[in-house]
Amino acid sequence: MRKLIAPLALLLASVPAHAQTPAGSVEGDAILQDFAFTSGEKLPELRMHYTTLGTPQRDAKGEITNAVMILHGTGGTGKQFFQPQFANELFGPGQPLDTAKYYIILPDNLGHGASSKPSDGLRMKFPRYDYDDMVSAQYRMLTEKLGVKKLKLILGTSMGCMHAFVWAQTYPDFAEKLAPFACLPVEIAGQNRMWRTLSIDAIKADPLWQDGNYTSPPAAGLRTAASLSLIAGANPYALQVQYPTREAAEKYKDEAFARTYGRNDANDIIYQLDASRTYNPWPHLEKIDVPVLWINSADDFINPPAYGITEQAAARMPTTRFILIPASPETKGHSTHTWAKFWKDDLAKLMAK
């Protein structure tokens, strides 16, 4: 029986058909007035869409005490966490993020999903946001709309993993614990920056793109971006085992590409991939003093373990437990971050602290 190898979150912006919205979930929008970007640009209103699970619990002062925020990766949405490999392992009775115990907040981050983004109308005139802007929008959504002044946990995958490191340094007392999965706390450089800019360059080089003012999607550029993301998010060990012949590999490739191609707007993809350009928590890792569960996987094309970065970083963060999940035909490449069976026991230990 063939197993699905989940591609990078860039290709998961649309919730798969098997990801059912849980009963009792609540959706809403935080309309943030006069939002100022680090670039100096401004929007009179910025919309942050979110979904919540569970019920807020309050202390004697009326403050919410059980909030958990989960942050998606590049191109994703909060609803991607309703996929069974995540939700069925974490949100049920007695599970690490039991919704009877925790108030779960799942944002569509700036530039993604139903939140404000270039494809809403401004196209390439949309403010050139970065990760600092995205975290600022999350903060304002929590404090201004949801009334949350303290989080029990920030769990972030891929881009959300990097956001967790930004949170730790920008709002160091806001989250009691952090669980960043599938990233490195360093500037986006080397191969990681290259595949991102190759995707951006391919879209911009497509004659149909027309400086972002296209009437038909720039199909050639989008094909290249989708192809790069498919490779970046896959587990090569599993691909070799499950598709050991040329015919099998090409058949799977065609099916995977058909499932993912064209799900995101071209301008949105450019902004999403470029938003990481200013990310670099490396100089201030010693300031992180809350319990951190940091997990990467050895089959991650985007964050390969041989760099030696994780060892150096973990040594500078004494409250951090770093785990490297060994590569196997069962792991999911970069997307191991969303398959909770690989790390939910470790998350349960973090929450029990």
Side-chain angles (χ1 to χ4, degrees):
M1 182 177 180
R2 196 180 71 203
K3 301 182 182 70
L4 172 65
I5 301 171
L8 179 64
L10 171 63
L11 305 176
L12 293 176
S14 299
V15 180
H18 61 274
Q20 299 297 320
T21 302
S25 63
V26 176
E27 294 189 53
D29 291 308
I31 306 301
L32 309 179
Q33 304 292 332
D34 300 318
F35 192 89
F37 293 79
T38 55
S39 64
E41 299 166 283
K42 294 182 179 181
L43 282 179
E45 288 188 348
L46 186 144
R47 181 180 65 257
M48 279 289 287
H49 188 75
Y50 59 86
T51 305
T52 64
L53 302 170
T55 304
Q57 298 174 5
R58 300 179 184 272
D59 61 17
K61 297 180 180 179
E63 304 293 349
I64 296 173
T65 60
N66 65 331
V68 168
M69 183 167 65
I70 305 178
L71 300 174
H72 62 74
T74 303
T77 74
K79 289 183 180 178
Q80 74 181 55
F81 297 113
F82 295 156
Q83 295 177 84
Q85 63 264 33
F86 192 92
N88 292 358
E89 302 281 348
L90 297 179
F91 295 153
Q95 292 179 332
L97 298 178
D98 185 344
T99 56
K101 181 178 181 181
Y102 294 108
Y103 178 49
I104 310 293
I105 302 165
L106 306 166
D108 289 357
N109 286 303
L110 169 60
H112 294 70
S115 294
S116 294
K117 55 190 181 296
S119 60
D120 290 341
L122 289 178
R123 298 192 173 196
M124 295 302 290
K125 294 181 180 179
F126 193 85
R128 194 178 176 215
Y129 65 84
D130 63 8
Y131 283 1
D132 289 337
D133 296 319
M134 299 175 86
V135 167
S136 176
Q138 294 160 14
Y139 176 84
R140 289 189 59 183
M141 173 200 71
L142 291 172
T143 56
E144 296 178 19
K145 173 67 176 184
L146 297 175
V148 174
K149 298 180 181 179
K150 190 81 172 179
L151 290 166
K152 301 296 290 184
L153 172 75
I154 295 175
L155 188 159
T157 64
S158 191
M159 178 182 72
C161 173
M162 292 184 275
H163 286 181
F165 280 111
V166 176
W167 265 94
Q169 298 181 3
T170 308
Y171 305 105
D173 299 322
F174 204 97
E176 294 179 9
K177 303 178 179 71
L178 301 172
F181 298 162
C183 74
L184 297 172
V186 293
E187 182 178 2
I188 302 296
Q191 175 180 270
N192 198 351
R193 182 61 181 171
M194 290 177 191
W195 79 263
R196 294 168 188 265
T197 53
L198 283 168
S199 299
I200 294 170
D201 293 346
I203 294 172
K204 290 184 174 181
D206 190 322
L208 292 179
W209 183 62
Q210 298 181 6
D211 295 324
N213 299 310
Y214 45 85
T215 54
S216 297
L222 288 170
R223 285 186 65 87
T224 300
S227 299
L228 284 166
S229 295
L230 186 64
I231 294 298
N235 171 3
Y237 303 95
L239 289 174
Q240 183 64 34
V241 170
Q242 295 172 24
Y243 309 102
T245 68
R246 175 179 59 81
E247 291 83 1
E250 292 183 3
K251 185 175 185 292
Y252 168 76
K253 176 266 298 181
D254 291 341
E255 293 172 350
F257 186 85
R259 285 195 300 269
T260 56
Y261 168 70
R263 286 188 176 179
N264 282 354
D265 173 82
N267 291 334
D268 289 348
I269 291 174
I270 290 172
Y271 275 76
Q272 291 163 2
L273 290 173
D274 194 44
S276 62
R277 67 191 178 278
T278 59
Y279 169 77
N280 188 16
W282 186 260
H284 306 293
L285 294 180
E286 286 83 2
K287 295 181 180 180
I288 299 176
D289 59 3
V290 298
V292 178
L293 174 65
W294 174 23
I295 299 179
N296 282 0
S297 55
D299 57 356
D300 189 343
F301 173 94
I302 299 172
N303 305 294
Y307 288 161
I309 292 171
T310 54
E311 295 85 349
Q312 296 177 53
R316 295 169 56 196
M317 298 184 291
T319 59
T320 295
R321 180 188 179 200
F322 175 73
I323 297 173
L324 182 67
I325 300 173
S328 77
E330 298 302 313
T331 51
K332 311 297 177 180
H334 183 68
S335 295
T336 301
H337 59 59
T338 308
W339 290 74
K341 67 180 182 180
F342 294 106
W343 43 260
K344 71 173 184 178
D345 291 343
D346 298 297
L347 180 64
K349 293 175 183 177
L350 176 71
M351 299 306 292
K353 283 189 177 181

